[in-house]
Amino acid sequence: MDAVGAVIIMFAGLWLFLPAMLPNSAAVVFGGGTPVDFGRSIGGKRILGDGKTWRGFFGGGLAGVVLGMILMGIAYLLGKEDIWGYGGLWGGIGIIVCLSFGSLLGDMLGSFIKRRMGIERGKKAPILDQYDFLIGAFLLTALFYPRWVYDTYIEIPGWHILALVFLLIITLLLHRAMNIIGYKAGLKDVPW
């Protein structure tokens, strides 16, 4: 594998994962309204908290799906469905839905864990804050499309593991940048 091929694999992995990266930011924009946990608690601790709302969940998830459909269309127009696409139309839509809504489910699982640990909303939980959405997106997508996840992010002979490593690194950087932007725009209460 030459350096150009490695870079293509890394950026293709990022490109294909964008529908999982947008929903959490979009959920902040669309959020508000009824909390997903309906204000309920377990053992005196909120299940998720007021920051996870139905409007944010569906608005953020659909934003990721729309972005994925745009990316799928671009790959099709460029004739690059093989490395820059999600496969066939219906399978591709399924992958995009799993990535998008899986990222939000992972974020909710992260909130659930934080509440159980006694970490209040908006407080830092290193590693969990950065990777909960990524884990959720991969798990839900791997549940329904394990071959696509393996071929795109793990396959060793094709060096696709580089896409996963690049995604882990870029996620840390993008997470920090997006939180600072959201804070400065008044969409988040804290810059982390």
Side-chain angles (χ1 to χ4, degrees):
M1 160 106 6
D2 64 351
V4 172
V7 170
I8 289 171
I9 285 172
M10 290 188 300
F11 279 96
L14 177 61
W15 168 274
L16 294 169
F17 203 73
L18 288 175
M21 297 178 105
L22 177 64
N24 284 308
S25 298
V28 173
V29 174
F30 290 108
T34 306
V36 172
D37 66 7
F38 297 105
R40 293 190 183 120
S41 299
I42 297 176
K45 298 177 184 175
R46 282 291 294 276
I47 296 171
L48 298 174
D50 289 333
K52 306 299 176 214
T53 67
W54 287 108
R55 199 166 64 197
F57 178 72
F58 287 110
L62 291 175
V65 170
V66 168
L67 175 61
M69 297 300 292
I70 291 168
L71 297 177
M72 202 159 110
I74 291 170
Y76 177 77
L77 290 173
L78 296 175
K80 300 289 183 187
E81 303 95 325
D82 54 340
I83 193 166
W84 297 97
Y86 299 94
L89 179 63
W90 295 112
I93 291 170
I95 290 166
I96 290 166
V97 168
C98 287
L99 286 170
S100 185
F101 283 96
S103 73
L104 292 167
L105 292 172
D107 186 57
M108 281 193 242
L109 179 61
S111 290
F112 178 79
I113 292 169
K114 285 171 70 173
R115 298 301 92 79
R116 303 293 69 75
M117 293 172 61
I119 300 171
E120 296 297 320
R121 179 176 177 231
K123 299 295 181 194
K124 286 184 183 183
I127 306 301
L128 183 59
D129 286 337
Q130 290 83 10
Y131 292 116
D132 56 2
F133 82 95
L134 190 135
I135 292 167
F138 274 123
L139 286 177
L140 187 62
T141 308
L143 180 65
F144 293 100
Y145 300 95
R147 189 75 188 151
W148 182 83
V149 171
Y150 176 79
D151 290 346
T152 307
Y153 293 101
I154 299 169
E155 183 191 13
I156 301 298
W159 288 97
H160 288 99
I161 193 81
L162 290 175
L164 179 60
V165 171
F166 182 64
L167 197 55
L168 292 171
I169 293 167
I170 202 78
T171 294
L172 282 174
L173 301 173
L174 288 174
H175 185 268
R176 182 72 178 136
M178 294 310 293
N179 283 331
I180 290 170
I181 291 167
Y183 176 72
K184 290 190 182 252
L187 298 172
K188 291 184 61 78
D189 296 330
V190 292
W192 54 79

